[in-house]
Amino acid sequence: MIYLDNAATTFPKPESVYKAIDDCMRYHCANPGRSGHKMAMESARIVEDTRDLVAKLFNIKNPMDVIYTFNATDSLNLAIKGFLHSGDHVITTTMEHNSVLRPIMELEKIGVEHTFVKADANGKVNPSDIEAAIKDNTKMIAIIHASNVVGTLIDIDAIGKIAKKHNIAYLVDASQSAGIYDIDVQSMNIDMLAMPGHKGLLGPQGTGLLYVNGDIKLDSQRQGGTGSRSAEIVQPDLYPDKYESGTHNTPGIAGLGAGIQFLLDTGIENIKNHEEELSQYMIDEILKIDGVTLYGPKSAKERAAVIALNIRDLDSGEVTFRLDREYDIATRSGIHCAPLAHESIGTIKQGAVRFSLGYFTTKEEVDKAIEALKVIASE
């Protein structure tokens, strides 16, 4: 199969990721932070070493500010629901994934106000529009870094300066950018950074991360055993224990650590350049095909390696089905869990066919996808 669905989950993973998961399961998959025997100690070491790697990748000063979650959705729910309270106001955009939109809409029930800043037809958001939306009770700005629909990059650095200027908590959803673009939580004034482990970080599914500035105290969404202060029947108020109740996904964290080590060894800049070059090539070739509409910026420097298109008035699901059945090419169609983004680019009824490239995607695979699109469009 030609796998072009990396925005959903990256595939394949580096060989080191498979090996780390297998070794953990076979040789030292005891309960980390609970027992005192050597297998449990080795599991705990894996958990904390991976936390250190995350801190290194994003310039996080204190690794204990890194919280393990199940996925980016879990991270975003903890950040949004754990921070906002009745009477607060949150600013976000129409380019957000439902993982941001739905928790915000849920909080509307308890009196949390929201403003959805509109993106243009290419998915771009003007930072000045974010600043203009600030009110006296604005407590959070929650922004996606790269659109999961059209890949458009948001200027998170500029928005971070706005958040700091107005003393507003700043949450960034890095689901499509972590592991591909350089993100520095210190220089970008990011208070909370949410991400999955199974996309650009090249780890397995069922892993996620949330960085929280140590000065912020979130309400925990889950209570239970932590292996710390076990004589107490109330949740410990310690980072990261307060938010990590229950047994860790140790094999998953082992794989995640191997994925991040691969990124550090390969170099984020090299990964970004590979995806950027392939994206620009694919964009240029798509623009030559009669009957194909390409959405989002035409420059790969303004977008992640996420390319959405439609072929005339064909249902996007039909195109994806044909690509899979006739050409063995994996893509994703529909609304991509981002309805406001599709409204912004004008595809809410038709949806779109999404091609998403990864570090292991080759030019030959892109050429085959282009040829398939030419055939379908010509018919």
Side-chain angles (χ1 to χ4, degrees):
M1 172 177 277
I2 295 174
Y3 187 83
L4 299 178
D5 193 23
N6 289 280
T9 194
T10 50
F11 179 85
K13 310 294 183 183
E15 282 299 319
S16 57
V17 172
Y18 301 129
K19 185 176 187 303
I21 295 171
D22 187 63
D23 284 352
C24 181
M25 288 295 294
R26 290 179 187 278
Y27 306 121
H28 40 251
C29 194
N31 205 315
R34 303 303 195 272
S35 306
H37 54 78
K38 56 181 175 289
M39 279 182 64
M41 296 294 284
E42 178 61 16
S43 290
R45 184 191 65 77
I46 289 170
V47 169
E48 298 313 319
D49 283 355
T50 300
R51 213 187 297 270
D52 290 342
L53 289 173
V54 175
K56 181 178 180 180
L57 184 61
F58 299 105
N59 192 25
I60 295 167
K61 290 181 179 178
N62 183 3
M64 293 298 104
D65 290 344
V66 175
I67 300 164
Y68 288 115
T69 63
F70 300 127
N71 43 52
T73 299
D74 194 30
S75 299
L76 289 164
N77 270 266
L78 173 57
I80 293 167
K81 294 178 179 177
F83 185 82
L84 294 170
H85 301 92
S86 179
D88 292 344
H89 173 246
V90 56
I91 298 169
T92 189
T93 78
T94 58
M95 293 310 293
E96 307 304 316
H97 190 276
N98 276 340
S99 296
V100 169
L101 298 178
R102 287 179 174 176
I104 288 175
M105 294 307 296
E106 185 70 16
L107 289 180
E108 188 178 45
K109 297 175 182 177
I110 64 165
V112 175
E113 301 176 67
H114 60 261
T115 297
F116 295 152
V117 173
K118 291 184 178 180
D120 67 18
N122 283 320
K124 293 184 178 180
V125 174
N126 190 333
S128 63
D129 292 341
I130 300 289
E131 188 163 26
I134 293 174
K135 300 163 58 173
D136 290 342
N137 62 334
T138 302
K139 294 295 191 292
M140 174 186 281
I141 297 173
I143 297 292
I144 198 167
H145 186 190
S147 167
N148 71 305
V149 177
V150 291
T152 306
L153 291 165
I154 307 293
D155 190 347
I156 59 171
D157 194 7
I159 297 172
K161 290 180 172 66
I162 292 170
K164 184 177 182 180
K165 173 184 172 183
H166 295 274
N167 194 30
I168 297 169
Y170 186 35
L171 167 63
V172 174
D173 175 6
S175 293
Q176 299 298 332
S177 59
I180 304 164
Y181 294 88
D182 186 27
I183 300 174
D184 186 321
V185 300
Q186 305 301 327
S187 67
M188 293 177 171
N189 303 301
I190 297 172
D191 293 304
M192 290 175 273
L193 183 70
M195 69 205 97
H198 66 98
K199 296 188 182 183
L201 297 181
L202 302 175
Q205 295 171 2
T207 57
L209 297 161
L210 177 65
Y211 156 72
V212 183
N213 178 335
D215 294 332
I216 292 176
K217 298 300 179 184
L218 302 176
D219 296 334
S220 60
Q221 305 298 298
R222 186 183 303 110
Q223 292 77 39
T226 60
S228 58
R229 298 187 179 177
S230 296
E232 301 174 5
I233 61 172
V234 295
Q235 191 76 359
D237 194 24
L238 305 170
Y239 269 69
D241 297 30
K242 183 176 181 178
Y243 311 106
E244 292 184 356
S245 294
T247 300
H248 287 86
N249 176 7
T250 312
I253 291 171
L256 176 59
I260 294 174
Q261 189 62 61
F262 178 88
L263 298 175
L264 293 169
D265 293 343
T266 305
I268 293 287
E269 190 70 15
N270 293 326
I271 291 170
K272 185 197 78 169
N273 289 342
H274 172 78
E275 294 192 11
E276 200 172 87
E277 289 170 11
L278 268 189
S279 293
Q280 192 62 62
Y281 173 71
M282 187 169 189
I283 289 167
D284 292 343
E285 293 302 309
I286 288 171
L287 291 173
K288 299 174 185 176
I289 306 174
D290 183 46
V292 174
T293 301
L294 177 71
Y295 304 100
K298 304 304 183 287
S299 169
K301 294 189 178 298
E302 299 177 18
R303 64 191 296 164
V306 179
I307 299 170
L309 56 82
N310 275 312
I311 300 177
R312 297 188 177 85
D313 60 352
L314 280 178
D315 179 77
S316 59
E318 180 182 342
V319 176
T320 291
F321 176 72
R322 288 194 60 186
L323 287 168
D324 180 37
R325 184 186 62 182
E326 299 173 22
Y327 300 96
D328 210 16
I329 298 173
T331 60
R332 183 180 171 188
S333 61
I335 305 301
H336 310 94
C337 300
L340 300 187
H342 277 276
E343 287 182 1
S344 296
I345 66 172
T347 54
I348 190 64
K349 292 183 179 179
Q350 190 177 9
V353 181
R354 185 183 72 184
F355 295 78
S356 45
L357 318 182
Y359 181 65
F360 296 108
T361 304
T362 66
K363 181 177 178 293
E364 290 72 25
E365 290 176 324
V366 170
D367 282 335
K368 289 179 181 179
I370 293 296
E371 288 306 310
L373 286 172
K374 286 179 179 178
V375 173
I376 296 173
S378 70
E379 295 173 352

